[in-house]
Amino acid sequence: MRPVFHSTLVHGTRKRGVVEKMRNKSMDVSSHRQAVAFADNVYWIGVLDPTLRTFDIILRTANGTTYNAYLVKGSEGVAIIDTVKESFSDEFFARLESVADYKDIKVIVLNHLEPDHSGALPELMRRAPQAKLYISQRATSMLKALLKPSSEIAYTTVTTDDTVSLGDRTLRFLHTPFLHWPDTQCTYLEGQGILFSGDVFGCHYCDKRLFNDQVGDFRFSFDYYYAHIMRPFKSHVLDALKLIEPLKLNQIAPTHGPILRERPRRYVTHYRELSTSSLSTDINEQNQSLIVFYMSAYGNTAKMAEEIFEGASIDGVRVSLYDLEGGEVDPFVDLIEAADALVFGSPTINGDAVKPIWNLLSSLAVVNLKGKVGAAFGSYGWSGEAVRMIEDRMRGLKMRIPIQGLRIKLIPTTEELSDCHQFGENIAHALINPNQGSGVIEFSDIH
Amino acid sequence: MAKAKITFEDINQTVNVPAGTRVIEVSEKVGAGLIYGCREGDCGTCMMEVTEGWNNLTEPSVLEEKVLKENMAGRHNRLACQAQILGDCKVKPA
Ligand code: FES
Ligand SMILES: [Fe+2]
Ligand SMILES: [Fe+2]
């Protein structure tokens, strides 16, 4: 089947690529290896990867993904923005060659150096040795690791408001670190108002129709991608939005999924909503939120939990108590993201904390817990390893553990229950007065 | 073994560590607000400010000096993934 727009490939007119007839129903980029023009002298030269089902091991991709790369032609040279996964290089180069000669490439931009976008870079630099590479400062160490040490590569590091000219058009850079790699930046084509946003505003969604107003329903993929890739970096998302929101945005061209040409600003607004806490205002903003999660085998850890709950309930701290037996992991993850302190209680069974605790603690990679206060407690029979194990996991999540965990053998006595009360109170105080020194801690206690 | 105290001013936490420990090893465990990229003295992400005890950290290597310069470091800045603690000091995120 020959799509209509192939008529633009008149014999003899070289390097025109495919002009994407606006809103053409027969759009199918999988049927050819041409570049696709989507604005004046701006082309998509990416690839489809429809069979991919998991990305980076952890991410599900129900219908595959795309690696989007872009080409911008100026009066004084060509810019390539991002490349593709190495195994897809052929198709990328074919699309590139359909609209430009390697000798005309003046600028190569990598918005971040993850292999799914830098895979074809070494070969591209070999084919276009005169081109200059533009990356963020933080990308330099990655670059060295990526390219063989033998090849001396020239690169220029850029940051917000640095520009590079292609003659009649200019690319401007936005420093947007940690979205989702430390070296992430976005590149903006002035005048035409196109934001080459890297993984930001991307999603793993593969569709040969390429544009957000043409493809199938990809909203789920967009939100899923945000939840797994961007959510741990919410505060950095907000910083980046401060740079992006003032821009005139005609199109957003991310490195995965549909090009957002129809009402692109909606996606920016959506990012802001997703990155802003939805915790309703009926909680006094000044209050700190502390959550006690527990799991009990014989009711002993539960008794401890209740006492800790009472002890922690001091002025300025809003305490919540949850039995993990009665809840699902996902909503708890949302709660945990919004909380200031987390206290986990588990009995020690067979020398380990119980599974529901681990299920929850292993689901927290998608939220940022850095600096939150953590504490652990539990009842035990023969040995009480669970408390220490939970503390170690919390440290791994970059939480701070100002109060050492509390273990009680079997059934708590009245005296031990008042220890629990005190334990809760101490955590609450450490939470509202982080400066009231918890004293000096020994490295060996946390190592 | 010789010990030294390092204080993370942003969370007001002091830790007693064996001399020679790298700042990164401690800061990660206590949840101080330092961030890391490469962890090998290359990217400059982990830049911190030393507010006290500048001379109680190991001298910066040539590579660290270079990365500090590239990242427009101030006079009291060091890379937390490189600096080793020799004596008492106080640090905070740069
Ligand atoms: S983490 Fe990269 S220089 Fe320290
Ligand atoms: Fe990425
Ligand atoms: Fe990516």
Side-chain angles (χ1 to χ4, degrees):
Chain A
M1 207 184 34
R2 297 275 97 185
V4 196
F5 43 79
H6 265 235
S7 60
T8 54
L9 289 171
V10 186
H11 188 70
T13 54
R14 283 182 65 234
K15 309 215 179 284
R16 296 275 319 272
V18 171
V19 177
E20 197 280 309
K21 283 276 191 315
M22 284 307 160
R23 317 303 191 245
N24 188 328
K25 279 224 185 63
S26 57
M27 177 83 198
D28 176 3
V29 299
S30 67
S31 68
H32 60 78
R33 286 163 50 117
Q34 308 278 319
V36 177
F38 62 98
D40 181 29
N41 277 313
V42 182
Y43 302 84
W44 175 83
I45 54 169
V47 299
L48 307 184
D49 185 359
T51 58
L52 187 81
R53 286 297 171 269
T54 45
F55 186 89
D56 274 0
I57 306 166
I58 54 158
L59 221 55
R60 316 292 302 274
T61 52
N63 78 344
T65 191
T66 66
Y67 310 107
N68 299 332
Y70 300 98
L71 187 151
V72 179
K73 275 186 187 176
S75 59
E76 285 167 21
V78 166
I80 306 292
I81 302 168
D82 289 317
T83 76
V84 301
K85 199 170 171 177
E86 193 179 6
S87 49
F88 292 87
S89 298
D90 281 358
E91 190 179 332
F92 163 74
F93 286 121
R95 292 196 202 271
L96 189 160
E97 287 164 18
S98 75
V99 282
D101 284 319
Y102 292 110
K103 67 172 171 36
D104 296 326
I105 300 175
K106 181 183 172 196
V107 170
I108 300 171
V109 178
L110 276 213
N111 282 328
H112 76 305
L113 288 182
E114 205 170 5
D116 53 333
H117 311 294
S118 59
L121 176 70
E123 178 60 19
L124 176 62
M125 293 181 63
R126 212 180 54 72
R127 296 187 188 191
Q130 76 290 341
K132 260 198 160 180
L133 177 64
Y134 293 83
I135 53 176
S136 76
Q137 172 63 45
R138 285 190 174 128
T140 55
S141 64
M142 262 296 156
L143 183 70
K144 286 174 207 154
L146 199 70
L147 304 176
K148 305 291 162 276
S150 54
S151 55
E152 254 307 304
I153 18 98
Y155 59 83
T156 307
T157 61
V158 285
T159 187
T160 301
D161 286 340
D162 285 344
T163 57
V164 54
S165 167
L166 301 172
D168 58 350
R169 45 186 64 192
T170 302
L171 293 172
R172 182 147 64 84
F173 301 98
L174 284 71
H175 184 53
T176 56
F178 298 100
L179 300 186
H180 62 124
W181 265 26
D183 60 326
T184 305
Q185 61 178 359
C186 296
T187 305
Y188 181 65
L189 178 58
E190 289 184 344
Q192 278 167 291
I194 300 177
L195 182 69
F196 300 98
S197 56
D199 282 349
V200 186
F201 306 121
C203 61
H204 290 310
Y205 184 84
C206 181
D207 197 312
K208 61 193 180 186
R209 293 164 293 186
L210 216 58
F211 296 94
N212 68 324
D213 53 293
Q214 299 286 302
V215 300
D217 190 340
F218 69 105
R219 287 174 296 180
F220 157 77
S221 306
F222 190 88
D223 284 358
Y224 181 81
Y225 190 88
Y226 175 91
H228 286 81
I229 301 287
M230 299 298 163
R231 181 175 173 179
F233 307 103
K234 275 185 178 177
S235 64
H236 296 288
V237 172
L238 292 172
D239 287 343
L241 289 176
K242 277 185 218 145
L243 298 176
I244 292 170
E245 281 165 345
L247 300 174
K248 178 183 97 181
L249 290 174
N250 291 333
Q251 310 202 43
I252 297 176
T255 44
H256 299 285
I259 296 173
L260 309 171
R261 68 177 177 187
E262 184 66 34
R263 295 201 282 161
R265 194 162 289 279
R266 279 191 317 164
Y267 297 87
V268 179
T269 311
H270 191 49
Y271 256 49
R272 180 162 281 282
E273 285 160 5
L274 290 171
S275 306
T276 311
S277 169
S278 58
L279 198 65
S280 61
T281 45
D282 50 349
I283 295 179
N284 181 344
E285 282 275 323
Q286 310 301 312
N287 276 2
Q288 301 282 309
S289 157
L290 180 154
I291 307 182
V292 183
F293 290 103
Y294 70 94
M295 186 77 198
S296 200
Y298 301 105
N300 298 326
T301 300
K303 280 201 195 97
M304 294 178 73
E306 279 152 24
E307 212 51 54
I308 291 166
F309 170 87
E310 296 298 337
S313 301
I314 60 171
D315 266 1
V317 179
R318 176 178 176 132
V319 192
S320 321
L321 180 67
Y322 289 105
D323 182 349
L324 285 180
E325 198 167 1
E328 305 265 326
V329 165
D330 281 354
F332 283 150
V333 172
D334 292 342
L335 276 174
I336 286 172
E337 184 180 34
D340 303 296
L342 303 164
V343 186
F344 292 98
S346 171
T348 299
I349 294 179
N350 293 334
D352 199 352
V354 294
K355 195 152 175 285
I357 293 275
W358 289 128
N359 286 348
L360 184 56
L361 287 173
S362 64
S363 306
L364 298 176
V366 296
V367 292
N368 180 7
L369 301 179
K370 189 166 206 158
K372 290 190 199 294
V373 166
F377 65 95
S379 148
Y380 68 101
W382 295 102
S383 59
E385 295 92 337
V387 167
R388 191 61 181 261
M389 293 167 103
I390 294 169
E391 286 181 328
D392 283 346
R393 172 66 182 149
M394 289 192 287
R395 285 195 188 97
L397 292 164
K398 310 214 168 76
M399 296 171 62
R400 52 191 192 94
I401 319 290
I403 309 293
Q404 225 197 333
L406 183 64
R407 306 180 313 167
I408 284 175
K409 196 170 169 82
L410 295 171
I411 307 165
T413 61
T414 327
E415 212 167 283
E416 285 169 332
L417 282 178
S418 78
D419 289 346
C420 292
H421 197 279
Q422 189 61 49
F423 179 68
E425 211 176 309
N426 292 348
I427 300 166
H429 281 296
L431 177 62
I432 46 179
N433 297 318
N435 292 344
Q436 238 168 41
S438 38
V440 178
I441 53 177
E442 285 298 318
F443 190 54
S444 52
D445 284 342
I446 55 173
H447 200 49
Chain B
M1 197 194 301
K3 294 268 199 173
K5 286 192 182 61
I6 177 161
T7 302
F8 298 94
E9 293 199 320
D10 58 329
I11 56 167
N12 196 32
Q13 180 68 64
T14 302
V15 187
N16 203 12
V17 303
T21 309
R22 282 181 201 274
V23 176
I24 180 174
E25 295 173 59
V26 196
S27 70
E28 292 200 308
K29 290 280 159 60
V30 298
L34 291 167
I35 43 176
Y36 298 93
C38 68
R39 305 167 161 271
E40 40 195 48
D42 222 351
C43 68
T45 309
C46 64
M47 195 140 73
M48 62 177 180
E49 187 177 334
V50 183
T51 51
E52 257 174 59
W54 172 262
N55 293 320
N56 290 337
L57 295 166
T58 47
E59 294 259 319
S61 65
V62 179
L63 177 70
E64 185 182 339
E65 292 278 18
K66 180 171 157 276
V67 173
L68 285 169
K69 197 135 92 262
E70 281 174 359
N71 287 283
M72 289 165 287
R75 283 209 310 134
H76 296 290
N77 290 353
R78 289 292 306 269
L79 298 179
C81 71
Q82 296 303 298
Q84 289 166 267
I85 306 153
L86 299 177
D88 295 358
C89 57
K90 292 188 176 178
V91 302
K92 63 181 187 190

